[in-house]
Amino acid sequence: MALIVQKYGGSSVADVEAMKRVARRVVETHQAGHQVVVVVSAMGDTTDDLLDTAAQITQHAPEREMDILLSAGERISMSLLSMAVNELGVQAQAFTGAQAGIKTTSHYGRAQIVGLVTERIARTVKDGHVAIVAGFQGISEDDDVTTLGRGGSDTTAVALAAALHADVCEIYTDVDGLFSADPRIVPKAHRLRRVTQEETLELAAHGAKILHLRAVEFARRYKVPLHVRSSFSEKNGTWIFDGPANPELKGLVPSAALVDPQEDPMEQPIISGIAHDRSQDKITVTNLPNTPGMAARVFSICAEVGANVDMIVQNVPVSDSTRANVTFTLPEGDAQRTLNALEAARDEIGFDQLRYNPNIGKLSLVGAGMRTNPGVSAKLFEALSDAGINIEMISTSEIRISVVTRLDDLDRAVQAVHTAFGLDATESEAVVYGGTGR
């Protein structure tokens, strides 16, 4: 018997029929002898509908009230799914984030989990019932409802799996696992049978939408095995864990996924996948004094307004080594307040002007094999050159290369690089069963 945490995204519980299908899967898992904890997102586009409704009332909704509003979607899902499971003859109980013991910071709309008191959930599954938890939410030290940000249900599920010492956390979505690229852009993308948590962290951090970044961080920190799969099919998905499988995973993980990649080179290609991100903007600070402390001041201002800076490039003109241009990327939602803050400090810093470009896209090539295989950068740049795509910025880590291109070129860039690295599937195309994957 295993303790399994299952998370179902919005497309998996989008309507009554989908809810009943999920209930049948939950019941089948329970009847197979496992203890089951379920985390659910809001149904379909419920969260967007709530946002639209609030916008018709005010453009300046208090953050606290907005979190109370947005938490309602997951509460509806948890209640309905609990009813559906009970209707199939298995006892289930629904819990809000607060009732499940999920303690968070007070940062409305982007709260972070700081602790879990899981006795109530543990007691429910020990009694042979299914516990169904509203994702995306918790309760602050001031006893206020908080939300974790978009995709936060993933984080809820993995955090509960870690706290309950679950054997596996299953993330159900609308595709059959984690693919070598977004199948909506690259229909020939192939499903990855197994990926390391390090690679998944890089993919999630640079645009892959299947998993929330903080969920992957939780999984890596607490060694929670993840299984990303579709709620619309019975296929095995993608297993995400490091090192050889734990003994208790055997029987849950297909034998093909248990192969140690250190022993089978076919299981560890140079490149695991390609992520892309359309949500980044670019800012260039021109003619900045090239003196110690100037870059520090620029990025201190970014930090003060909560901007999450990603890629950074500094150029020193040959004609004047006393000046420099600093270019960086950041999430589009952070751009305007960052521009305002930098403009306010123009006289203090002494730069010439700010250039803003929202029409950029980022492509990231990820693979643990980069550590030991030369020539990856050359092949990437050659593939983009052959496709007539210009590179505006470059950033690297041990297992990742990211480039910025024009937004209009991004899809074509992903397709060209996917083909160049031999990642195209030869048999069947990926199937997208639902909508957004959330």
Side-chain angles (χ1 to χ4, degrees):
M1 179 178 70
L3 172 56
I4 299 174
V5 175
Q6 297 181 337
K7 178 263 177 179
Y8 293 93
S11 59
S12 298
V13 291
D15 52 36
V16 171
E17 287 308 311
M19 193 77 71
K20 289 180 177 179
R21 181 175 58 247
V22 167
R24 289 193 294 270
R25 189 183 291 266
V26 171
V27 168
E28 287 170 5
T29 306
H30 182 270
Q31 290 178 339
H34 302 302
Q35 295 177 324
V36 186
V37 176
V38 179
V39 174
V40 286
S41 297
M43 297 173 65
D45 296 324
T46 298
T47 301
D48 289 330
D49 292 342
L50 291 171
L51 286 168
D52 291 343
T53 301
Q56 295 174 39
I57 295 173
T58 176
Q59 295 298 315
H60 306 286
E63 291 181 329
R64 177 184 180 276
E65 313 313 314
M66 185 61 80
D67 268 17
I68 294 173
L69 174 67
L70 295 184
S71 69
E74 280 70 19
R75 295 180 184 219
I76 293 169
S77 293
M78 73 175 193
S79 303
L80 291 174
L81 183 58
S82 179
M83 294 176 192
V85 172
N86 276 287
E87 187 69 13
L88 294 176
V90 172
Q91 288 189 305
Q93 286 185 289
F95 299 89
T96 66
Q99 291 172 325
I102 300 170
K103 309 294 184 180
T104 74
T105 62
S106 297
H107 295 100
Y108 300 112
R110 59 187 189 281
Q112 295 191 354
I113 297 174
V114 294
L116 290 99
V117 182
T118 57
E119 282 84 358
R120 196 170 181 185
I121 302 299
R123 185 168 62 250
T124 298
V125 295
K126 186 177 180 181
D127 290 343
H129 304 163
V130 173
I132 300 176
V133 180
F136 173 67
Q137 61 187 257
I139 189 167
S140 73
E141 59 183 10
D142 298 321
D143 291 332
D144 281 332
V145 172
T146 56
T147 64
L148 308 180
R150 281 300 181 100
S153 293
D154 290 350
T155 305
T156 302
V158 179
L160 282 171
L164 293 166
H165 305 289
D167 296 281
V168 65
C169 180
E170 297 181 330
I171 306 291
Y172 285 91
T173 180
D174 59 9
V175 289
D176 285 321
L178 192 60
F179 282 76
S180 52
D182 187 338
R184 297 167 182 83
I185 294 177
V186 184
K188 290 186 177 180
H190 70 273
R191 179 178 59 83
L192 307 174
R193 285 192 297 175
R194 174 179 170 178
V195 191
T196 67
Q197 290 174 333
E198 180 185 27
E199 289 171 312
T200 308
L201 195 61
E202 289 280 11
L203 289 167
H206 294 279
K209 303 299 184 186
I210 293 297
L211 282 170
H212 194 242
L213 177 59
R214 278 189 284 165
V216 183
E217 290 172 341
F218 257 108
R220 189 178 186 194
R221 185 183 312 151
Y222 297 105
K223 298 180 172 54
V224 177
L226 302 178
H227 187 194
V228 181
R229 60 193 307 193
S230 173
S231 62
F232 297 84
S233 77
E234 298 298 325
K235 296 179 182 178
N236 283 307
T238 301
W239 283 89
I240 302 168
F241 57 94
D242 292 335
N246 298 325
E248 61 268 23
L249 278 178
K250 298 191 176 178
L252 294 175
V253 185
S255 58
L258 292 173
V259 177
D260 187 344
Q262 300 301 322
E263 297 177 359
D264 185 352
M266 294 302 291
E267 288 294 312
Q268 190 178 20
I270 298 172
I271 302 302
S272 291
I274 300 170
H276 71 278
D277 190 352
R278 305 179 195 279
S279 65
Q280 296 272 311
D281 292 349
K282 184 173 72 170
I283 294 174
T284 300
V285 185
T286 68
N287 214 23
L288 182 76
N290 188 21
T291 57
M294 283 297 103
R297 182 62 187 129
V298 168
F299 292 109
S300 292
I301 291 171
C302 296
E304 287 166 6
V305 297
N308 187 16
V309 174
D310 183 15
M311 301 169 70
I312 302 171
V313 172
Q314 178 171 306
N315 296 317
V316 179
V318 175
S319 59
D320 186 0
S321 62
T322 67
R323 314 297 288 186
N325 295 336
V326 174
T327 301
F328 58 93
T329 63
L330 73 175
E332 58 188 356
D334 295 345
Q336 191 55 57
R337 65 176 180 271
T338 302
L339 288 166
N340 293 341
L342 288 171
E343 185 61 42
R346 179 197 291 261
D347 293 340
E348 172 201 342
I349 298 174
F351 61 84
D352 187 9
Q353 61 178 304
L354 296 173
R355 295 176 183 166
Y356 172 56
N357 182 3
N359 297 313
I360 64 166
K362 183 175 68 173
L363 178 154
S364 297
L365 198 62
V366 176
M370 288 187 192
R371 288 193 175 100
T372 54
N373 289 271
V376 173
S377 299
K379 181 181 284 190
L380 169 63
F381 301 148
E382 183 179 0
L384 293 173
S385 174
D386 290 345
I389 296 168
N390 190 46
I391 298 170
E392 298 185 10
M393 296 178 71
I394 302 169
S395 172
T396 66
S397 75
E398 268 194 316
I399 65 168
R400 173 189 52 80
I401 304 172
S402 295
V403 298
V404 168
T405 71
R406 291 176 61 248
L407 186 59
D408 291 344
D409 290 336
L410 184 59
D411 286 6
R412 212 158 42 86
V414 172
Q415 293 160 2
V417 172
H418 195 272
T419 298
F421 280 89
L423 298 176
D424 290 354
T426 56
E427 297 180 0
S428 59
E429 295 185 343
V431 176
V432 180
Y433 300 95
T436 63
R438 285 286 170 209

